[in-house]
Amino acid sequence: FEGVEWVVVSLGSKGAFAKHHDKFYKVNIPKIDVVNPVGSGDSTVAGIASSLAAGIGDEELLRTANVLGMLNAQEALTGYVNLNNYDSLFNQIEVTEV
């Protein structure tokens, strides 16, 4: 993993664990009603990519990535997210440096 800037591991309903350079993070997510989880990983990666492109910090990147994966899981259509629920979920996600 030398030279790999980010490692993000999904823990499903238990959130995620991430490493950025020499920092480690545990991401705790709220319980949601899952309709269709297919595409949630891709939506999470899209959140990571857009956050990296925007140059935002670690905590916001991890919240953004996880909220997009969660929003995808709440919809019947794969790869669809309802951004009306974005802020509510974003504010419930806890990122802790460990």
Side-chain angles (χ1 to χ4, degrees), residues 8-20:
V8 180
V9 179
S10 172
L11 303 174
S13 65
K14 298 195 186 313
F17 190 79
K19 177 185 178 295
H20 183 217

Side-chain angles (χ1 to χ4, degrees), residues 67-68 70-72 74-75 80-92:
V67 76
L68 289 173
M70 294 169 65
L71 289 172
N72 176 83
Q74 291 181 313
E75 301 296 330
Y80 177 80
V81 296
N82 180 352
L83 294 178
N84 291 327
N85 299 324
Y86 184 95
D87 289 336
S88 174
L89 288 176
F90 184 91
N91 292 326
Q92 294 179 65

Side-chain angles (χ1 to χ4, degrees), residues 22-97:
D22 61 347
K23 293 183 179 180
F24 293 85
Y25 300 95
K26 172 64 173 86
V27 181
N28 294 313
I29 61 173
K31 182 172 175 42
I32 61 168
D33 292 327
V34 174
V35 176
N36 180 8
V38 176
S40 292
D42 292 335
S43 296
T44 301
V45 171
I48 293 169
S50 66
S51 296
L52 288 172
I56 65 172
D58 294 2
E59 187 173 319
E60 187 176 350
L61 178 147
L62 291 168
R63 285 183 179 184
T64 299
N66 280 273
V67 76
L68 289 173
M70 294 169 65
L71 289 172
N72 176 83
Q74 291 181 313
E75 301 296 330
L77 293 172
T78 299
Y80 177 80
V81 296
N82 180 352
L83 294 178
N84 291 327
N85 299 324
Y86 184 95
D87 289 336
S88 174
L89 288 176
F90 184 91
N91 292 326
Q92 294 179 65
I93 295 173
E94 299 174 350
V95 178
T96 307
E97 188 174 344

